Amino acid sequence: MSSQLDPVTQAIRIQSEKTQHREHSTPLFITSSFTFEDAESMRAAFAGESDDNIYTRFSNPNVDEFIAKMCALEGAEAGFATSSGMAAIFGSFFALLQQGDHLICCSSVFGSTYTIVTKYLQRYGIEHTLVPANDDAAWEAAVKPNTKMVYLETPTNPQLEVLDLEWAGKFSKKHNLILNVDNCFATPLLQRPIEYGADLVVHSATKWIDGQGRVLGGIVLGRADLINEIYLFCRNTGPSLAPFNAWVLSKSLETLDVRMTRHCENALAVAKAVQGNSAVAWVKYPLLEGHPQFEIAKKQMKMGGGVFCLELKGGVEAGRKFLDALDLLTVTANLGDSRSIASHPASTTHSKLSSNEQLAVGITPGLIRISCGLEKADDLIADITQALAKSAS
Ligand SMILES: *Cc1c(COP(=O)(O)O)cnc(C)c1O
């Protein structure tokens, strides 16, 4: 595929080699292993002298097609696809860090990422410092002689803080650190961290990339030398993406551009419509004026993403009432679906934290996260508005 083509076109057109049936759409390669004509070709494959497929834990045509499309979209040299977003994040840490190394990690990262960093890396002698988003001095102060990697997520889930990628790229370069960015919320259609100096980009493909809430998947993309380390680690430890999931995700990439545009338009329209509602204390969306990092978001994001947050004046009780009053939006623990989803972190994902701990990570009692789907914005606004009225009664 010509790299002259726009990445969006490449994500639609890249395709594994056709079989003798000359199919238009890529078939499913449901096979655990691949055959060889003779002993010599098998030897060469194992020696790394050919790129023949050997075993689906290492590579598979469906998985490779998904990786090639994602490389085009992110502008990455190489990638490795995993069974979930967490497997990609876990692989990127454990393949590249070792005992005695130090990681600088933004304090507002996805919950399971936080657990890997604070519980498991720790257990294997890998140190970390958690730093608040956008506190430049704290990031500088966190650098130690053994610091090897910087990890962040932007926009963050669910607080929607935006971190300055240009700043992070310069910071990592200055201190010679690997910059690893979770780009799940923005997708490469809205923001390409590698252009700002990120060495690695990780995704939960489960979210916008699938886009219909069907499969789990993940991917890590970036510098070829680092991806090769991660590939070797994962090919031996086994968190590889299943061919069926890769097939679904590769098909999904054909529509990612049009979907993200609609998700973002809906999120902006709905966020604007509920701003000023008497039940709502505030609304937060990266490209809505009044967002604390509005200027940074404008600089690095093409659109604001499909998620916005609002704070109910009535706190935890209002949050529960709001969810109960929704007719159209789904109450479920996912985001990035064609169907809009509402969640209340204080009573669900973050309920194990004390209220002080919740506040420390930006989870306010009446925080509602809305993942805008592809429905008509007016229908979303009508449902959310009636549920807001009921949440306040
Ligand atoms: C969901 C999510 C993950 C984890 O992805 P899984 O596919 O569920 O393992 C990581 N980072 C962010 C920002 C997420 O939203």
Side-chain angles (χ1 to χ4, degrees):
M1 180 72 37
S2 161
S3 55
Q4 302 294 85
L5 292 169
D6 189 281
V8 168
T9 306
Q10 292 187 58
I12 293 169
R13 280 290 174 175
I14 287 174
Q15 189 164 358
S16 359
E17 209 177 312
K18 291 191 177 20
T19 70
Q20 76 277 20
H21 299 296
R22 294 169 286 104
E23 65 280 352
H24 187 208
S25 175
T26 303
L28 252 169
F29 292 94
I30 296 284
T31 177
S32 1
S33 67
F34 300 84
T35 57
F36 294 93
E37 289 295 323
D38 50 37
E40 170 52 24
S41 56
M42 190 164 183
R43 184 209 61 79
F46 272 85
E49 292 164 18
S50 78
D51 49 15
D52 285 350
N53 293 304
I54 299 173
Y55 192 62
T56 285
R57 174 150 46 78
F58 308 174
S59 68
N60 173 284
N62 292 120
V63 177
D64 289 348
E65 184 182 284
F66 172 60
I67 295 172
K69 289 180 173 188
M70 285 299 296
C71 283
L73 288 172
E74 284 287 7
E77 289 172 5
F80 186 78
T82 53
S83 55
S84 69
M86 289 323 304
I89 294 167
F90 169 83
S92 74
F93 290 155
F94 276 77
L96 300 174
L97 299 173
Q98 63 182 36
Q99 193 173 24
D101 286 345
H102 173 247
L103 168 77
I104 297 177
C105 181
C106 180
S107 52
S108 31
V109 288
F110 187 69
S112 296
T113 309
Y114 186 89
T115 303
I116 293 180
V117 170
T118 56
K119 184 171 172 188
Y120 296 107
L121 288 186
Q122 181 100 324
R123 185 180 287 180
Y124 292 93
I126 299 161
E127 304 168 23
H128 66 270
T129 305
L130 294 170
V131 282
N134 297 307
D135 182 344
D136 299 2
W139 289 69
E140 288 288 355
V143 180
K144 302 207 247 176
N146 58 337
T147 307
K148 197 156 172 206
M149 184 185 283
V150 176
Y151 184 89
L152 61 90
E153 190 179 307
T154 181
T156 63
N157 178 12
Q159 308 89 333
L160 297 177
E161 289 164 295
V162 175
L163 278 78
D164 190 334
L165 287 172
E166 188 182 351
W167 186 89
K170 287 185 181 147
F171 169 80
S172 305
K173 196 165 204 142
K174 180 168 87 185
H175 298 291
N176 196 24
L177 308 173
I178 297 168
L179 176 58
N180 190 354
V181 175
D182 182 335
N183 201 26
C184 171
F185 262 46
T187 81
L189 270 304
L190 308 183
Q191 140 190 310
R192 307 214 305 168
I194 290 171
E195 288 173 358
Y196 297 98
D199 302 286
L200 293 173
V201 173
V202 289
H203 280 283
S204 167
T206 314
K207 313 292 169 56
W208 305 106
I209 291 175
D210 173 7
Q212 295 182 53
R214 299 161 297 187
V215 298
L216 271 82
I219 192 162
V220 48
L221 301 144
R223 256 169 57 192
D225 59 329
L226 301 178
I227 295 296
N228 191 47
E229 287 296 320
I230 295 167
Y231 161 72
L232 293 173
F233 178 80
C234 291
R235 133 177 189 164
N236 286 295
T237 53
S240 318
L241 183 63
F244 174 74
N245 291 18
W247 180 85
V248 169
L249 295 170
S250 181
K251 275 283 163 203
S252 284
L253 288 179
E254 295 180 18
T255 56
L256 184 64
D257 183 38
V258 288
R259 287 188 287 111
M260 281 318 287
T261 303
R262 177 68 166 266
H263 285 300
C264 297
E265 286 169 358
N266 274 354
L268 183 62
V270 181
K272 277 186 176 161
V274 297
Q275 212 176 23
N277 183 297
S278 62
V280 172
W282 46 258
V283 173
K284 202 168 173 191
Y285 181 67
L287 287 185
L288 195 62
E289 237 151 314
H291 185 288
Q293 293 94 37
F294 178 68
E295 290 303 325
I296 301 172
K298 246 187 5 193
K299 180 179 73 172
Q300 70 193 27
M301 297 179 76
K302 283 199 190 118
M303 296 180 89
V307 176
F308 77 92
C309 290
L310 59 86
E311 176 69 16
L312 295 168
K313 286 182 187 160
V316 174
E317 218 17 65
R320 297 167 55 93
K321 280 193 198 164
F322 174 79
L323 293 190
D324 287 343
L326 290 166
D327 288 324
L328 179 64
L329 275 78
T330 319
V331 177
T332 181
N334 196 11
L335 61 92
D337 199 298
S338 53
R339 298 174 292 170
S340 296
I341 293 167
S343 67
H344 179 227
S347 70
T348 57
T349 46
H350 293 71
S351 60
K352 289 197 191 75
L353 303 181
S354 71
S355 44
N356 276 341
E357 286 170 329
Q358 287 187 354
L359 287 178
V361 291
I363 307 299
T364 40
L367 184 73
I368 298 288
R369 183 186 73 188
I370 308 272
S371 164
C372 286
L374 302 175
E375 305 96 333
K376 287 288 186 183
D378 286 347
D379 290 330
L380 298 176
I381 293 167
D383 191 39
I384 292 171
T385 308
Q386 65 80 24
L388 285 173
K390 287 187 186 144
S391 79
S393 65

